[in-house]
């Protein structure tokens, strides 16, 4: 059966742990597995601006022995110039897998339903599962391995309605973590995603909490994460709109509430002085640059896992 990675809970607890273990192995030796030898092509379709996603996927596909085939979404205009269904049928006959960075989650779900090859969510408006897989790998890297993830408390603060908050909820729950989201009441996560995360957490020993106070989210946390206040594809927020997020800024005072050795995550791009201050982003507890590199290793491990299911 063809497996896809469209949202974080498409992997079970055991599968997620195995992918992260393999990602850590790829970090130590980037050429231990080459499942795309041939080379076999992987289509990487980008409808949204991209830096880390493009570089990490294209590099990773090549290092797996494959041929990275970038597709400019602005030229392809999938869903406009040609239907998603027809595009899926065309791509699926020519490539080993499809990586898509796009808008609505329904678009990638339709692609996966008809492509016949693994489809990977490289970011949608609702989820960013490859990023959170890399984030979990980064925590494991700095905390002694995958076995350290269950029971760890991860606090995310900022815009709780965005794709990162949703993926932290699902991905963290899958890992058996205690996930806290601190966000304004009018920027809370989708209740359906929270319910799904609670269901997953019930089976892994994790937990999910949504609060509207930074201190309640961050106090005692082992990992603290944030993201830009304006998610990709949104119009830039004006000063009045941003003001509601200021109490959720990750600064030195906020970080001091967390565990003394808490790790700091940010998926980038970061806007110093807005969602995070420079002293925190560039400080000794930040593992942001490892996190960015780990996109490469985590995605190579994910592609290897999906291809092995065929």
């Amino acid at each position: 059966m063809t497996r896809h990675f469209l949202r974080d809970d498409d992997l079970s607890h055991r599968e997620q742990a195995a992918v992260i273990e393999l990602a850590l192995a790829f970090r130590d030796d980037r050429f231990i597995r080459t499942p795309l030898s041939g080379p076999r092509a992987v289509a990487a379709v980008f409808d949204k601006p991209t830096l880390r996603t493009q570089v990490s996927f294209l590099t990773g596909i090549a290092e797996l022995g494959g041929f990275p085939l970038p597709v400019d979404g602005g030229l392809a205009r999938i869903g406009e110039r040609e239907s998603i269904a027809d595009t899926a049928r065309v791509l699926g006959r020519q490539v080993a897998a499809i990586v898509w960075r796009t808008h609505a989650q329904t678009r990638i779900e339709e692609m996966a339903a008809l492509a016949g090859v693994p489809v990977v969510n490289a970011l949608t408006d609702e989820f960013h599962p490859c990023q959170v897989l890399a984030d979990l790998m980064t925590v494991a890297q700095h905390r002694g391995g995958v076995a350290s993830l269950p029971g760890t408390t991860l606090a995310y603060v900022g815009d709780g309605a965005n794709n990162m908050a949703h993926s932290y909820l699902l991905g963290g729950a899958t890992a058996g973590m205690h996930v806290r989201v601190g966000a304004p009441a009018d920027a809370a996560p989708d209740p359906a995603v929270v319910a799904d995360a609670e269901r997953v957490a019930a089976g892994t020993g994790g937990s999910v909490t949504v609060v509207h106070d930074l201190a309640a989210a961050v106090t005692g946390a082992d990992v603290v994460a944030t993201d830009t206040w304006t998610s990709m594809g949104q119009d830039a927020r004006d000063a009045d709109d941003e003001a509601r997020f200021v109490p959720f800024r990750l600064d030195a005072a906020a970080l001091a509430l967390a565990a003394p050795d808490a790790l700091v995550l940010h998926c980038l791009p970061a806007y110093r002085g807005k969602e995070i201050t420079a002293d925190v982003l560039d400080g000794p507890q930040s593992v942001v640059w490892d996190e960015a590199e780990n996109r490469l290793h985590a995605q190579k491990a994910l592609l290897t896992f999906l291809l092995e299911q065929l």
Side-chain angles (χ1 to χ4, degrees):
M1 181 182 72
T2 303
R3 293 286 300 274
H4 308 288
F5 191 55
L6 308 183
R7 42 186 274 170
D8 308 75
D9 54 350
D10 282 340
L11 296 178
S12 69
H13 173 76
R14 182 175 296 181
E15 290 170 340
Q16 183 196 70
V19 170
I20 295 171
E21 288 277 16
L22 181 56
L24 291 167
F26 269 123
R27 185 181 176 92
D28 291 338
D29 183 346
R30 287 165 67 154
F31 301 99
I32 53 171
R33 305 273 281 276
T34 54
L36 288 168
S37 291
R40 300 162 69 195
V42 174
V45 188
F46 303 111
D47 293 345
K48 291 188 175 188
T50 175
L51 172 63
R52 279 156 298 281
T53 297
Q54 179 174 225
V55 171
S56 58
F57 266 114
L58 299 188
T59 300
I61 291 161
E63 291 187 357
L64 291 176
F67 177 78
L69 180 64
V71 178
D72 184 334
L75 294 176
R77 291 167 49 207
I78 299 170
E80 299 175 33
R81 179 175 173 272
E82 191 167 5
S83 71
I84 295 172
D86 288 355
T87 304
R89 294 184 181 102
V90 169
L91 291 178
R93 288 173 176 242
Q94 300 184 55
V95 300
I98 299 166
V99 173
W100 197 8
R101 184 178 180 89
T102 191
H103 301 277
Q105 183 74 9
T106 52
R107 288 168 60 80
I108 202 164
E109 290 171 353
E110 184 176 358
M111 180 75 77
L114 295 166
V117 296
V119 174
V120 174
N121 180 350
L123 179 144
T124 60
D125 294 342
E126 289 82 4
F127 301 103
H128 199 357
C130 288
Q131 178 66 59
V132 167
L133 199 60
D135 291 5
L136 297 177
M137 175 195 169
T138 305
V139 176
Q141 174 191 346
H142 287 270
R143 289 291 185 260
V146 177
S148 68
L149 295 178
T152 294
T153 297
L154 184 151
Y156 168 86
V157 292
D159 184 358
N162 73 7
N163 50 16
M164 283 302 299
H166 291 159
S167 277
Y168 276 127
L169 286 165
L170 291 178
T174 300
M177 302 173 86
H178 302 297
V179 183
R180 304 177 192 160
V181 173
D186 59 354
D190 183 337
V193 175
V194 175
D196 287 342
E198 290 173 339
R199 172 185 52 78
V200 172
T204 63
S207 65
V208 171
T209 306
V210 177
V211 294
H212 306 302
D213 175 77
L214 180 141
V218 171
T219 299
D222 304 299
V223 183
V224 184
T226 190
D227 186 21
T228 175
W229 292 338
T230 302
S231 291
M232 189 171 298
Q234 293 179 337
D235 293 331
R237 288 187 160 115
D238 60 28
D240 289 339
D241 194 21
E242 284 193 351
R244 63 193 170 122
F245 292 106
V246 171
F248 296 89
R249 175 179 290 138
L250 182 51
D251 57 16
L255 184 58
L257 298 172
D261 61 347
L263 302 175
V264 172
L265 298 174
H266 192 306
C267 65
L268 303 176
Y271 298 92
R272 291 167 175 82
K274 290 195 173 186
E275 76 276 2
I276 191 168
T277 54
D279 58 332
V280 173
L281 183 69
D282 302 312
Q285 291 173 253
S286 172
V287 292
V288 167
W289 314 114
D290 285 339
E291 178 188 4
E293 176 190 339
N294 286 341
R295 288 289 302 276
L296 169 66
H297 311 304
Q299 290 159 186
K300 287 171 66 178
L302 174 68
L303 283 170
T304 300
F305 169 81
L306 295 174
L307 292 165
E308 286 177 348
Q309 307 307 303
L310 296 174

